[in-house]
Structures are given as C-alpha cells and as structure tokens.
Amino acid sequence: KAGVTQTPRYLIKTRGQQVTLSCSPISGHRSVSWYQQTPGQGLQFLFEYFSETQRNKGNFPGRFSGRQFSNSRSEMNVSTLELGDSALYLCASSFSTGSGEQYFGPGTRLTVT
Amino acid sequence: AQKITQTQPGMFVQEKEAVTLDCTYDTSDQSYGLFWYKQPSSGEMIFLIYQGSYDEQNATEGRYSLNFQKARKSANLVISASQLGDSAMYFCAMRESNSNYQLIWGAGTKLIIKP
C-alpha cells in the first residue's frame, strides 16, 4: 500500500506570495491532518479534514486554510506569506477522525525569503 | 501547563544498549491515546507505537515497547538493542477528547547512537 505523499517536497517563496501544498493520504484513509514544524515552536496542529469537512482547527491565523476533496486528497494554502511561515509542513492520514495512529508524509519544506 | 513533557533534549547511547526515552503527560480525560514517533534527519515522521489509556498491557512493537504507568501519567519508550539507524528525533504525542483529538506533541528527544 502506498504511503502518504506530499508535493512539492521543497519550495522557496517570497514574502507576500501565496502557496498551495498538496497531500494524498493512504488509500482508504479519510482523515487528513496538517502540522507545522519549526525549530522554535516545535510541532503545531493546523487543521484536520474528514470527509471533505474541517473537523478541527489549531490556533493559526486565517491566512492558513485548507480543503479536502472527495478522493480524500487535501490541499493547504497559505496566503500573504511571512518569514515566520518558513517551516516543515507535515501531512498525516488516518482511517478515521478522533482515534488511531496517524501516518505521515515526508513533508514539504517551505522557505520564505 | 505543558501537556506533554519530554525532559531529555538529547541522549547519547552506545550501540546495542537499551535506551529509555521519557515522556510524561497531563490530561483530565479518561480516554486518550499516547503515541511515539521517530523523525530521522530526512524529516518524515515515522509511527512507532501506540498505547490506549484503557489498554491494560504495555504496548510492544518489535524492539520498541512502551512503559505505561497510568497513575504516574508516564509513557516512556524503551528501545532494546539500539542500532545506529535509531539515531533520530523521538516525539511523544497524545490525543484526547478535551483537545478534539488533535495530536499534542512533546518537544522531542534527540537520540544519538554511538558505534
């Protein structure tokens, strides 16, 4: 069974631009969660989608948004990029929401200059 | 207050020795789950082991076992017979209904296995 895939793996953007990251979960998994990892803040939860609905949201500004498609693939968008958005963005999938282990993709490393 | 505390920022262990990575947690929930993940330098987060709060037996997965002491709110990861490939960051995480089941993470422990 294929694992979680994330594209692109690396991205360099300029302040003020916007970016879209993509995540394809493990086949059969319907829950997708997004996390931001930085050296200073560690791992922080962004949001979770299940069956195309946002089920849970972390404490991030509205510039961070996401969506999930009917095939469970998810995208995350960050608008008006700031230097502090430079991070590793990890996507995780699980069979259902609320329980069970999450399986992570390799991450997208975003650098904002 | 920190929900997940990993008190060891870094550890050096000799190859083939066993190693214990500490994790304490804070929750008022009766139903919760505890997880350990490994993150090599490549960045991918690898699931290692899971312990449910109602599980009476300690979880084991190959060389990994979880020393679950519920009364002490402790969920230490034990790696037996460490290998050079075990060098990585290790994160303890928790899911609880009080936090809408989102994963709450500890700061991590950087484990380095010495040959």
Side-chain angles (χ1 to χ4, degrees), chain B residues 4-108:
Chain B
I4 298 285
T5 302
Q6 294 182 253
T7 57
Q8 306 149 311
M11 285 186 74
F12 286 89
V13 172
Q14 202 68 40
E15 189 181 7
K16 296 180 186 167
E17 289 184 351
V19 56
T20 298
L21 305 181
D22 295 341
C23 173
T24 57
Y25 59 93
D26 181 27
T27 182
S28 56
D29 239 350
Q30 296 302 307
S31 176
Y32 52 90
L34 296 157
F35 303 80
W36 277 94
Y37 285 87
K38 171 185 177 182
Q39 188 178 40
S41 55
S42 60
E44 184 169 355
M45 200 69 75
I46 301 167
F47 167 74
L48 294 178
I49 197 165
Y50 165 79
Q51 179 87 39
S53 58
Y54 291 119
D55 295 341
E56 293 188 354
Q57 301 224 352
N58 286 344
T60 59
E61 289 285 349
R63 294 187 298 114
Y64 304 107
S65 60
L66 200 152
N67 184 1
F68 182 45
Q69 298 188 43
K70 195 170 181 177
R72 296 178 60 184
K73 294 188 175 177
S74 161
N76 297 341
L77 176 72
V78 180
I79 306 173
S80 63
S82 57
Q83 303 170 357
L84 295 178
D86 294 333
S87 294
M89 284 290 290
Y90 287 81
F91 292 93
C92 179
M94 176 175 67
R95 293 185 93 165
E96 53 168 7
S97 64
N98 285 350
S99 302
N100 277 332
Y101 297 108
Q102 61 176 272
L103 270 176
I104 302 166
W105 298 84

